[in-house]
Amino acid sequence: MRGPLVDWYARHARDLPWRHDDCPAWGVLVSEVMLQQTPVVRVLPRWTEWMERWPGPTELADAGPGEAVRAWGRLGYPRRALRLVDAATALRDHHGGEVPQDEQTLRSLPGIGEYTAAAVAAFAFGRRAVVVDTNIRRVQARAVTGVALPAPGYTAAERRLATGLLPADAAESVRWNVSTMELGALVCTARNPSCGHCPLVDQCAWVAAGSPPDDGPPRRTQAWAGTDRQARGRIVQALRDADGPLSREQVLTAAGAAEAQAERCLGGLLEDGLAEGDDRAGYTLPQ
DNA sequence: GATCCGTGGCC
DNA sequence: TGGCCAAGGAT
């Protein structure tokens, strides 16, 4: 299935700035962190600003967490911005200001897990790495395993499958990874896949089986209204939009939650390093 | 391994 | 309308 897939990619891949040949490894790393659980269209403008402002890890490390969280905007999961600053600081202080090439070292950086380490090794450095994201999981679940959707959690069996499918040659493996990922993002989507436009339709085990619906356990949808996540998000947004420190009263009001929950969320944000201050001086983003 | 962690758009 | 999903990671 390599030929048709890579050919499809050559004709239909999106032109994304972090895929350009002249994009530095740092740009690839930033894009991968921003893309964690976040759609491409939302990342694009933030990534461009970010790279103009902090073209390398040293510049970001020197800027500090507050500016990073503010520049993160509404991408969501702002702890990613803090971890990116922490990773940049580690690169500046312990890696000569360079992004390391091997997965092991990448994996040791804050906010860089199994997927992101493999993606940076492959896409920034052309290395052979087993890249498994939600798109690749879904494409392989359908094309190879013959089921509509992968299980909720990433399994060892999936890792073995992806490892076995990965081409031995490094350059081919990179094309394979990016092509499979792109197919999952554009054609082999979670809802309403465009099988009529899929280069793998003739060899897809799921299509061959008649495209049966998902028969796995019902997926737990995450609650939103009334959760700590919502309240934390409101507090961080208020801190981000504020010119100066906010009083305790202003923070708790921004949370839009009952007092006990608002207190808990403020405490959690202080612990996480997403907020700073006290009742006397007021509260701000970290400095 | 189960949970927690934001945000917004889509069908 | 609202459940569901988007290039996951840390604990």
Side-chain angles (χ1 to χ4, degrees):
Chain A
M1 65 199 218
R2 290 177 199 173
L5 179 56
V6 173
D7 185 56
W8 171 87
Y9 180 81
R11 283 182 287 117
H12 297 288
R14 292 167 291 182
D15 177 28
L16 302 174
W18 46 84
R19 286 178 178 164
H20 293 183
D21 286 338
D22 61 353
C23 180
W26 169 246
V28 175
L29 192 157
V30 171
S31 79
E32 292 298 344
V33 173
M34 288 185 171
L35 286 164
Q36 291 166 2
Q37 301 285 284
T38 308
V40 166
V41 290
R42 204 173 307 164
V43 166
L44 276 168
R46 293 286 82 74
W47 182 88
T48 302
E49 290 176 8
W50 195 284
M51 294 306 294
E52 286 171 359
R53 188 166 178 187
W54 301 303
T58 299
E59 286 85 355
L60 178 62
D62 291 345
E67 282 310 293
V69 171
R70 193 166 275 112
W72 195 255
R74 302 183 64 82
L75 279 182
Y77 295 139
R79 292 191 293 190
R80 291 183 292 167
L82 295 181
R83 294 190 178 123
L84 203 42
V85 171
D86 290 341
T89 303
L91 295 181
R92 181 192 65 189
D93 296 344
H94 305 297
H95 299 277
E98 302 286 336
V99 178
Q101 301 198 17
D102 66 290
E103 285 183 76
Q104 191 91 349
T105 310
L106 285 163
R107 189 76 173 70
S108 73
L109 298 170
I112 309 296
E114 179 176 344
Y115 161 77
T116 304
V120 171
F123 303 143
F125 298 113
R127 293 206 166 197
R128 184 178 184 278
V130 181
V131 178
V132 184
D133 76 325
T134 188
N135 290 304
I136 292 181
R137 291 183 67 208
R138 187 173 53 251
V139 170
Q140 295 182 351
R142 288 178 182 159
V144 180
T145 312
V147 297
L149 294 172
Y154 181 41
T155 66
E158 288 180 86
R159 186 182 291 105
R160 281 195 299 275
L161 174 62
T163 302
L165 291 170
L166 191 69
D169 178 73
E172 277 185 48
S173 74
V174 172
R175 285 193 288 273
W176 169 259
N177 282 323
V178 73
S179 302
T180 308
M181 198 176 301
E182 192 76 342
L183 187 74
L186 299 183
V187 173
C188 193
T189 51
R191 289 169 295 197
N192 301 324
S194 306
C195 300
H197 296 94
C198 181
L200 305 182
V201 66
D202 292 333
Q203 29 193 320
C204 178
W206 182 58
V207 169
S211 304
D214 178 42
D215 67 342
R219 311 172 105 66
R220 274 219 183 73
T221 168
Q222 58 176 252
W224 176 244
T227 60
D228 282 9
R229 272 214 284 237
Q230 183 185 40
R232 285 169 55 107
R234 287 172 174 158
I235 293 174
V236 171
Q237 183 179 357
L239 295 175
R240 198 195 302 122
D241 294 344
D243 289 326
L246 295 182
S247 70
R248 174 182 202 80
E249 184 64 26
Q250 288 174 307
V251 169
L252 298 183
T253 300
E259 182 163 351
Q261 183 181 24
E263 300 268 6
R264 180 174 70 242
C265 290
L266 174 57
L269 291 170
L270 291 167
E271 273 185 48
D272 292 346
L274 279 167
E276 208 170 77
D278 53 42
D279 287 352
R280 183 186 53 76
Y283 295 93
T284 64
L285 291 178
Q287 297 307 308

